[in-house]
Amino acid sequence: MTSRSENTVSSSRRSRAVLALAANNWLSRCYLAAVVLTAGFALWEDLFMSHADASMVYVVPMVLTAPLNMLFTVALSWIPTDVPFYLGIALGALVNSVILGAVVRAVRRRRPSSVRHAPTP
């Protein structure tokens, strides 16, 4: 039987492993930066700008975090605010970043080292 502290440590290790996949490589970091910039601009425009017609600024973060963002937004569409949109972006970005991190890790493991050792005489 495992104790509660062992379960907490195991859960903590899993969380760190997932977060390492999400942000421990340049591809995931660049992806997260692009999502943060586009979602931040959409939020800024939502709060401080007013347009007579619809703005297309919301399309870019939605496309960057698809398909999970779209599923999450539709599932919570009964909430009459923009909260499901931004939560969907956050969740979609995290999941997509973990997937990118796993792909980078798999490619690194398959690729042989580029360091060539000098022949021994």
Side-chain angles (χ1 to χ4, degrees):
M1 186 183 261
T2 60
S3 69
R4 183 178 175 106
S5 64
E6 288 176 7
N7 288 338
T8 304
V9 170
S10 175
S11 175
S12 176
R13 283 187 188 146
R14 279 192 295 260
S15 299
R16 283 191 208 142
V18 168
L19 289 177
L21 279 175
N24 207 11
N25 58 73
W26 63 269
L27 185 62
S28 294
R29 288 179 188 160
C30 289
Y31 169 74
L32 288 173
V35 171
V36 167
L37 287 173
T38 58
F41 183 70
L43 183 62
W44 178 79
E45 186 169 295
D46 193 25
L47 295 174
F48 300 112
M49 302 287 287
S50 62
H51 296 283
D53 59 346
S55 176
M56 293 294 291
V57 74
Y58 303 105
V59 173
V60 177
M62 205 154 184
V63 168
L64 282 175
T65 57
L68 192 58
N69 173 26
M70 294 175 190
L71 294 172
F72 192 73
T73 303
V74 168
L76 294 177
S77 63
W78 56 271
I79 299 175
T81 64
D82 290 335
V83 171
F85 175 75
Y86 291 109
L87 285 176
I89 288 174
L91 184 64
L94 179 64
V95 171
N96 289 347
S97 182
V98 168
I99 291 169
L100 286 172
V103 168
V104 168
R105 179 182 284 177
V107 168
R108 283 185 183 160
R109 286 185 180 167
R110 293 192 85 215
R111 184 176 49 174
S113 175
S114 62
V115 176
R116 306 216 182 235
H117 298 287
T120 55

